Amino acid sequence: MKKLSLLKKWDSLSPYRKLIFGFLVAIFIGTIFLKLPFSLKENQSITILDSLFTIVSAICVTGLSVVDVSQVFTPIGHLIILFFIQLGGLGVMTVSIMIFLLIGKKMSFETRELLKEERNSDSNGGVTKFIKHLLLTVSLIEISGAIVLAYGFSRYFSIKRAIFYGLFHSVSAFCNAGFSLFTNNLENFKYDKLISLTISFLIILGGLGFITINSLFIIKRKKIKNFSLTSKFALLITFFLLVFGAILFLAFEYNNLSTLKNMNFLDKILNSFFQSVTLRTAGFNTVPLENIRPATVFISYIFMFIGASPGSTGGGIKTTTFGILIFYALGVLKRKEYVEVFKRRIDWELINKALAIVVISIFYIAVIITIILSIESFSTDKVIYEVISAFSTTGLSMGITASLGIISKFLVIVTMFIGRLGPMTVALAFTNNKKSLVKYPKEDILIG
């Protein structure tokens, strides 16, 4: 009877709450595993909070860490982190559905709805086909990246270690996680074009989203004009942000002794491009970020907040949300009745959702920043950088993560979790989703 009662309660939950529950169960299991002796090197120990922080950072594909992952954890610990990075990149519900398909189980309508919410899709159809394409795409990209990176690392390490490093960093890069097995992340490889560019392109592909990646794979058979509006938009905004970000980073850091000044021009371009790529949701760095210039810090807020594309392994409000609001603003200035993109009209419900995402995100970030500033002694710019990085699941830090207090660490954990699932998903999980049937009289308010 208790089992039937629990099943009824589970069935009565909304897809949003089921999704949150799935992630929480995975986080609980991962936290326990990472705390066990086989995960930790000899004479190393971590608190349950630090274990929780690391697992949440992994499954939320963020990359922020309160401990030195390379020094604290054993190869088994690294594999556990890698597993949760992959789990977070694909999605807990997506992986669960893969298992159901492998053992021959049929999917209910509710299961399809869960996948729809997790993948940020507008349809719950064609799940089996989507899963097959997803597995093929991820396997092809990550294995190819691992082979190239293993070759690159073999010039510095033994073959065995190079292969493991290649696999770990390929998965971490494609999933936009930003976890590295080196104490100073990828700073030792800032002059290595093969490693830097391979990781950059893995991050870009992971951040584009699976729909857009599949569109790119069949570009010979499918003209760009026939791409979905989502794919076109994601490619356009991503290209703009990558180029613009690289130019700004190069301009602001060109003569900064702590970052680019001592490099030749080609290496400056390479590292500026790398930081532009990783800035938007990946978390790797080839130059130290503790002393980047104020202008660079400010643009970092914006680029991290925008993040990756929908249906991808990255976070942020998403490139398409940002793009829609830009076109919306332009439409208002031109006094257009509708928002038009690529000769298509955007539904007002979608624009309202985009506005809600931005407003909720800004409000949440502001609240968390205020709380942390009130209990910590770090400078304002570093706290803002840390919170936006956590919310957008970017994983970059200006060096304060390990020094955060208990309350601040917990707030960052919650922020990474909300950032990975999406503020709208979390908000809808705790609100009444029924439409109101009441319509009040309309009246204008002066604005602007």
Side-chain angles (χ1 to χ4, degrees), residues 39 44 101 110 146 184 199 203 207 214 235 237 245 265 304 314 326 335 342 347 377:
S39 297
Q44 294 286 349
L101 290 174
E110 289 78 11
N184 58 356
I199 287 180
I203 293 167
N214 285 331
L235 287 168
I237 303 298
F265 187 67
M304 288 192 295
I326 292 296
R335 295 184 179 275
F342 292 116
D347 192 274
S377 58

Side-chain angles (χ1 to χ4, degrees), residues 3 12 21 44 68 163 165 220 222 228 231 269 275 335 354 409-411 415 425 433 446:
K3 188 176 181 181
S12 67
F21 182 78
Q44 294 286 349
D68 187 341
I163 291 172
Y165 283 166
K220 289 184 179 179
K222 195 173 185 179
S228 68
S231 296
I269 293 175
Q275 290 309 137
R335 295 184 179 275
K409 283 181 183 177
F410 183 75
L411 289 173
T415 302
T425 298
N433 299 322
L446 294 175

